[in-house]
Amino acid sequence: MRKQSKIFSLLASVCIAALLGGCTYESGTKTFATTNFNNTPSQNTEGLNESGAEWLQYALEKAKTDPDAQKYWYKGHVKNMILSRSVTSMFNGAVVNDKGYNVDARIAAQPYQYYRIDDKHFIRAKDYWVTARDEPLAFDVLAGFDDWLPFMDKAVQLPDDKVYGTLSAVFQLKMTGAEWLAKSQSPLFEPLKKQLGDRPDLKYILNESTIKTTFWIGKEDRLIHQYQTWIILPLPEAGTMDQEVFFQLYKYDDPGIHIKDPAEVEKYLLH
């Protein structure tokens, strides 16, 4: 039981890191679809380096600095399947960078609403809003993407695809959990790195795990419009655990995006 508890602690840590960096699983088959790794990236009309790392780095920098990219809608889901149990959480809302965001979600089948404006945080409990002492859901759709950059030089460019009508360059990367852990700079992985020396069971899980992540980056606006990561982890003598995180970002700079004034929420606070 203790060994299994430690294994599930590992899975929880991996899942948290995955959630912050965008991850998905494909239901059904537990093997990856065949991919042509001889695909050559198409010519970049802006003269950017053709590697996936350059595409992603440029997109992340533009998301921070482009005035037209500071607000957008998003929607997506996180799916986890451990043994025979499956849990899906759905998210949708809007973001205004450096200002706030809102989240409408169903987490483990429970409705959830969260709203942040500047340094104020509110959660909806049934028909009332309550003030959150601390931010319970540090939600950033693009959080953790810098952690993919050391791997993206090995990404394959797939055929262009459209996301809500936006023609996008598609980059896909595959690796093992061991490869991810070795190069990752995420502080979430530090406890796992310290355990590896005397934990052959953890080494087995990481070496036998498979991670595939895919980015859809607009060919004209150079912004991320969709991402997906699929993780498969073996559970010794118990099958596998799958995790999927899939998000779409759309309608950048939509004039219809407005984060409520705190007063509009505070009048409904449950005191």
Side-chain angles (χ1 to χ4, degrees), residues 120-134:
K120 295 187 176 181
H121 314 279
F122 305 100
I123 299 175
R124 185 166 185 168
K126 297 183 178 180
D127 295 329
Y128 298 94
W129 288 90
V130 296
T131 301
R133 295 182 180 178
D134 299 302

Side-chain angles (χ1 to χ4, degrees), residues 83-136:
L83 305 180
S84 61
R85 299 184 62 183
S86 178
V87 177
T88 300
S89 298
M90 309 294 295
F91 303 86
N92 66 81
V95 172
V96 178
N97 286 338
D98 298 324
K99 187 66 176 177
Y101 56 81
N102 58 65
V103 181
D104 290 318
R106 290 190 66 83
I107 300 177
Q110 298 299 314
Y112 176 95
Q113 284 185 293
Y114 182 75
Y115 162 69
R116 181 181 76 78
I117 182 71
D118 296 324
D119 61 346
K120 295 187 176 181
H121 314 279
F122 305 100
I123 299 175
R124 185 166 185 168
K126 297 183 178 180
D127 295 329
Y128 298 94
W129 288 90
V130 296
T131 301
R133 295 182 180 178
D134 299 302
E135 186 170 10

Side-chain angles (χ1 to χ4, degrees), residues 37-48:
F37 281 91
N38 293 318
N39 284 344
T40 301
S42 57
Q43 181 62 36
N44 186 332
T45 57
E46 294 188 10
L48 296 176

Side-chain angles (χ1 to χ4, degrees), residues 207-223:
N207 286 329
E208 296 299 318
S209 63
T210 311
I211 299 167
K212 180 176 73 173
T213 190
T214 310
F215 295 93
W216 287 255
I217 301 174
K219 300 199 72 172
E220 291 188 8
D221 63 14
R222 306 294 176 185
L223 295 171

